[in-house]
């Protein structure tokens, strides 16, 4: 009877050691982050335009801070969180001033000018949203 109890105790110890080592080994393994289901694609000038500019056929996007000058194409021009001086140039532009007290000049074409939370000044803009 003593031999059976000793064998049973030895069996319990062996099973515990084997099970414990398996847990230790699996705890050290990690699975790297997967990007399955993620999609990366190029964005166009129209992907980030405000809904007020949805009728404009924008072909380029320009961002900056301080002084921002557009050109003759129809652009989405995005200002910064600071004070900007934006001159859109020709084309049918969508100008978003951002934060700060911005000075926005739509220039030629049919322009939608959108200010920000501070007091902005607008000129040559067919549509103004403050």
């Amino acid at each position: 009877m003593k031999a059976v109890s000793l064998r049973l105790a030895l069996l319990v110890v062996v099973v515990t050691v084997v099970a414990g080592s398996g847990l230790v080994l699996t705890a050290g393994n990690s699975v790297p982050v997967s990007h399955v289901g993620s999609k990366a694609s190029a964005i166009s000038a129209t992907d980030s335009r405000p809904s007020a500019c949805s009728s404009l056929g924008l072909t380029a996007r320009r961002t900056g801070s301080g002084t921002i000058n557009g050109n003759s194409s129809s652009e989405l021009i995005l200002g910064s969180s600071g004070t900007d001086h934006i001159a859109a140039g020709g084309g049918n532009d969508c100008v978003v001033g951002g934060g700060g007290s911005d000075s926005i000049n739509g220039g030629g074409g049919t322009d939608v000018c959108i200010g920000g939370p501070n007091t902005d000044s607008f000129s040559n803009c067919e549509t103004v949203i403050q």
Side-chain angles (χ1 to χ4, degrees):
M1 181 75 178
K2 210 174 197 186
V4 172
S5 296
L6 186 61
R7 285 184 186 166
L8 183 61
L10 184 60
L11 179 64
V12 169
V13 169
V14 169
V15 169
T16 303
V17 168
V18 170
S21 65
L23 290 174
V24 168
L25 292 176
T26 57
N29 293 335
S30 62
V31 178
V33 175
S34 171
H35 296 288
V36 172
S38 295
K39 179 181 175 185
S41 61
I43 60 172
S44 70
T46 59
D47 289 339
S48 57
R49 71 178 167 194
S51 60
C53 301
S54 62
S55 64
L56 301 176
L58 304 175
T59 58
R61 182 174 52 189
R62 183 178 304 272
T63 60
S65 63
T67 299
I68 306 168
N69 294 309
N71 58 32
S72 61
S73 64
S74 295
E75 301 170 291
L76 170 61
I77 301 174
L78 303 172
S80 70
S81 60
T83 298
D84 300 310
H85 302 283
I86 303 172
N92 300 328
D93 303 303
C94 178
V95 182
V96 181
S101 296
D102 304 311
S103 169
I104 301 173
N105 182 344
T110 302
D111 304 303
V112 176
C113 301
I114 303 172
N118 292 325
T119 303
D120 302 307
S121 64
F122 301 93
S123 62
N124 298 315
C125 299
E126 284 64 39
T127 302
V128 172
I129 302 171
Q130 176 62 59

